[in-house]
Amino acid sequence: MRYETPSHLGGNASSSTEWGTSGGTGWDTSTRATWHTRGDDGSFFGYVSTQGAPLVELLAPRPGERVLDLGCGTGVLTAEIAARGAHVLGIDGSHTMIEAAIAQHPGLDFTVGDANDFTVAQPYDAVFSNAALHWMSRDPDAVIECVRLALRPGGRFVAEFGGAGNCATLTSAMLTAWREHGLREPELPWYFPSPAEYAARLEKGGFAVRVVECFDCPTPLDGCPNGAADWVRMFAGSLLEKVPPATVEPLLRRVNELAAPALRHESGWLADYVRLRIAAVRH
């Protein structure tokens, strides 16, 4: 689905950066810290570095531009943007992520910050975010407002994250397994909006929407030999903490049984990802 065809997203270079936050985290850091740091390059599932490349092209960073990478993880795409000549600050709610990013990219700037409540001393030309906004589920409008305030007028916001229907089979299997085991249905920690919903939020938040695309992105679970069960451990581990220990293994076996008909193939397990890609300009 394409909401609008891309247009040129311009930007002017400006000077150095400062960062401020009132503390806390705008997204669930416990599970993100687990999966993002599994690979030495921070690209577990091959998603961050490979699937994120088209988003960097949409951003089209220019030499001298100031770019904020929101939810930067271990800095894989932060480094790619910097390689284009931009001055980049990577921020993430997870101390573990930022420590890994600093270790892997010692010449770049990274800091821990709250996506719902941050300020910058000088405006940026662009805010970029890949595979992170769906973790910032507490207050999506607050995130959009912080992004707007971090941008100069005419600055661009380019992001990709989980959209409506993302992991629908996986989450349905989870919820069914929880009910079958007599457990209270868990509150899922993600925000997966529809294209229309997020475009409306952006427009209400002071942005002119240039691109909204929603597309299926089946992704091999190469790092999950036990399929959906491993996916739940990796991405929803905080929910398992509330499950009686003796129930965890039979619960996860049931998740596998429920998800397998749709997601297990001869070549292996596939996650039913749906991605939402946006580009917008601050008024």
Side-chain angles (χ1 to χ4, degrees):
M1 175 185 297
R2 172 161 288 194
Y3 176 86
E4 194 171 323
T5 55
S7 65
H8 179 68
L9 300 173
N12 296 319
S14 55
S15 58
S16 63
T17 99
E18 290 183 27
W19 169 264
T21 178
S22 64
T25 57
W27 53 88
D28 182 342
T29 62
S30 59
T31 45
R32 291 189 71 241
T34 300
W35 70 264
H36 254 304
T37 56
R38 286 288 295 272
D40 290 339
D41 66 346
S43 57
F44 186 56
F45 293 163
Y47 182 80
V48 173
S49 57
T50 303
Q51 299 294 337
L55 194 66
V56 176
E57 294 303 320
L58 182 60
L59 175 68
R62 302 170 189 157
E65 279 194 314
R66 287 162 36 82
V67 178
L68 187 68
D69 185 358
L70 182 62
C72 64
T74 56
V76 175
L77 294 181
T78 316
E80 185 169 334
I81 295 168
R84 306 286 187 96
H87 304 295
V88 192
L89 173 65
I91 69 171
D92 201 284
S94 167
H95 289 268
T96 303
M97 296 282 197
I98 293 301
E99 289 169 1
I102 291 171
Q104 294 173 26
H105 310 286
L108 301 182
D109 294 326
F110 297 95
T111 191
V112 176
D114 183 346
N116 291 279
D117 185 14
F118 68 85
T119 59
V120 296
Q122 296 181 4
Y124 283 78
D125 299 299
V127 172
F128 174 90
S129 184
N130 182 62
L133 290 179
H134 51 254
W135 291 103
M136 305 173 197
S137 58
R138 189 172 75 210
D139 190 346
D141 291 327
V143 175
I144 290 172
E145 175 65 3
C146 284
V147 170
R148 186 186 71 84
L149 293 174
L151 288 168
R152 62 171 180 79
R156 58 204 192 277
F157 179 29
V158 176
E160 183 177 309
F161 57 107
N166 189 58
C167 301
T169 299
L170 286 161
T171 54
S172 176
M174 285 177 57
L175 296 177
T176 299
W178 255 252
R179 288 194 299 269
E180 289 181 354
H181 281 79
L183 301 170
R184 179 179 297 178
E185 186 170 295
E187 182 178 351
L188 301 179
W190 311 293
Y191 169 59
F192 299 140
S194 70
E197 176 190 344
Y198 204 72
R201 286 186 185 274
L202 287 170
E203 289 167 351
K204 182 181 177 181
F207 286 88
V209 177
R210 294 291 183 256
V211 175
V212 177
E213 297 177 311
C214 191
F215 53 94
D216 293 336
C217 188
T219 303
L221 294 179
D222 295 333
C224 296
N226 198 30
D230 283 349
W231 183 90
V232 173
R233 290 185 185 278
M234 201 167 291
F235 292 92
S238 60
L239 304 182
L240 292 175
E241 294 173 1
K242 302 175 183 178
V243 174
T247 305
V248 170
E249 290 305 322
L251 179 71
L252 292 178
R253 283 197 298 270
R254 185 56 179 152
V255 172
N256 263 2
E257 292 169 358
L258 292 165
L263 302 182
R264 188 168 60 192
H265 306 270
E266 289 185 6
S267 59
W269 285 81
L270 288 177
D272 54 331
Y273 287 171
V274 176
R275 314 315 288 176
L276 182 59
R277 183 178 295 167
I278 63 99
V281 175
R282 178 190 164 170
H283 286 305

